[in-house]
């Protein structure tokens, strides 16, 4: 009798273990870098073992194979890589100093949503896919923020332009329905009007920067009223409601450094990732090591020319 009871209990326990679904593992944290030595966009797991072994989960360049061979001459010094999502599809948004700008389906990497060459002299530095399907591009040497009518044609070169000295950042604000643009001296909120085929840009707010040389502009996940802003000398938080910049925020004592090229917050963990030039690097604006804070850490890809590094996740 006792043996029968033990056997029955064992059977029941086996049934429970077999029928209770295993807890799903969280997706691996990924980082995207603009690697200028090899002229590639690289996506890697956020752990040093993967970086040491060069275990890329995804790599991309414009080429004839993915339908962008005619624009590949503008793919010089890739300087922006962001992930966004639209209608259930994720996209790489990328620019290169040589003039290439594009929005490419991820992970397919082919059949670009939109791509163009805006010319090397303009030095495009950031890009944003807007809700109406058009694409905003900021260019530093060109000194402008443009909205291209990408909604009309995947190779459209029609645009509306707002003059912006040292254009470096573009971020859509869905709550306020404005496009934030960062330049050398100002942070500007632009109203996008007109129609998708004939857009207009109207400044509704111009906020002078507290220090010169605006460089990176990013949302702060979990804090919808905040924007990351980097300048030549510091990393700031901008409060959209008050119109003020803060130098005090979690991790500021180590996050805020001169010449930070990129900053993003992990939407799941709150960890902050930054990239800054390495003092002894052969490329004076590059690094092979990116910094993590909250908690502190670093990731090194030996020999790499990293300009920007971001968490590979939509930030809005």
């Amino acid at each position: 009798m006792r043996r029968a009871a033990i056997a029955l209990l064992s059977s029941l326990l086996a049934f429970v273990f077999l029928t209770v679904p295993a807890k799903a593992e969280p997706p691996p944290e990924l980082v995207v870098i603009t690697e200028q030595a090899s002229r590639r966009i690289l996506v890697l797991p956020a752990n040093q073992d993967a970086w040491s072994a060069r275990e890329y989960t995804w790599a991309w360049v414009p080429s004839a194979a993915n339908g962008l061979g005619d624009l590949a001459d503008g793919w010089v010094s890739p300087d922006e890589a962001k992930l966004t999502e639209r209608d259930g599809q994720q996209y790489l948004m990328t620019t290169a100093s040589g003039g290439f700008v594009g929005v490419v389906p991820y992970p397919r990497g082919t059949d670009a949503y939109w791509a163009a060459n805006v010319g090397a002299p303009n030095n495009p530095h950031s890009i944003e896919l807007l809700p109406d399907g058009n694409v905003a591009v900021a260019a530093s040497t060109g000194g402008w923020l443009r909205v291209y009518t990408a909604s009309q044609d995947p190779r459209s070169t029609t645009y509306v332009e707002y003059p912006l000295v040292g254009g470096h950042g573009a971020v859509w604000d869905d709550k306020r329905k404005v496009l934030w643009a960062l330049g050398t001296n100002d942070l500007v909120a632009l109203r996008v009007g007109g129609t998708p085929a004939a857009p207009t840009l109207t400044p509704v707010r111009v906020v002078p920067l507290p220090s010169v040389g605006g460089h990176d502009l990013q949302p702060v996940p979990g804090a919808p009223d905040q924007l990351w802003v980097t300048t030549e000398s510091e990393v700031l938080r901008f409060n959209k409601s008050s119109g003020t910049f803060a130098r005090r925020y979690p991790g500021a004592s180590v996050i805020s450094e001169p010449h930070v090229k990129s900053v993003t917050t992990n939407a799941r963990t709150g960890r902050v990732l930054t990239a800054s030039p390495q003092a002894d690097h052969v490329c004076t604006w590059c690094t092979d090591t990116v910094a993590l804070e909250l908690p502190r850490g670093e990731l090194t890809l030996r020999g790499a020319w990293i300009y920007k590094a971001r968490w590979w996740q939509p930030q809005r």
Side-chain angles (χ1 to χ4, degrees), residues 34-165:
T34 57
E35 207 291 295
Q36 295 192 352
S38 62
R39 297 186 179 185
R40 293 184 295 173
I41 302 298
L42 298 175
V43 177
L44 307 91
N47 66 74
Q48 185 55 55
D49 287 344
W51 286 52
S52 297
R54 297 179 179 271
E55 293 176 351
Y56 317 129
T57 65
W58 195 67
W60 187 87
V61 296
S63 65
N66 55 38
L68 296 170
D70 60 315
L71 301 178
D73 60 342
W75 189 249
V76 179
S77 299
D79 54 25
E80 180 63 289
K82 301 192 292 185
L83 185 68
T84 193
E85 189 169 350
R86 176 182 171 84
D87 297 331
Q89 171 65 58
Q90 291 188 323
Y91 294 93
L92 161 71
M93 302 181 293
T94 187
T95 64
S97 294
F100 180 93
V101 292
V103 178
V104 180
Y106 171 80
R108 189 168 74 245
T110 61
D111 305 315
Y113 172 82
W114 174 78
N117 187 339
V118 302
N122 286 305
N123 200 6
H125 259 71
S126 195
I127 185 170
E128 185 79 315
L129 177 59
L130 305 181
D132 66 0
N134 286 340
V135 175
V137 177
S140 58
T141 309
W144 45 252
L145 183 289
R146 290 176 180 173
V147 170
Y148 284 85
T149 59
S151 62
Q152 307 302 299
D153 189 277
R155 291 298 186 92
S156 175
T157 55
T158 301
Y159 62 84
V160 61
E161 181 177 308
Y162 176 80
L164 182 65
V165 174

Side-chain angles (χ1 to χ4, degrees), residues 293-310:
E293 298 297 343
L294 306 175
R296 184 172 298 186
E298 63 180 27
L299 297 167
T300 298
L301 188 66
R302 294 294 180 195
W305 291 19
I306 302 169
Y307 181 63
K308 286 180 181 174
R310 302 197 186 283

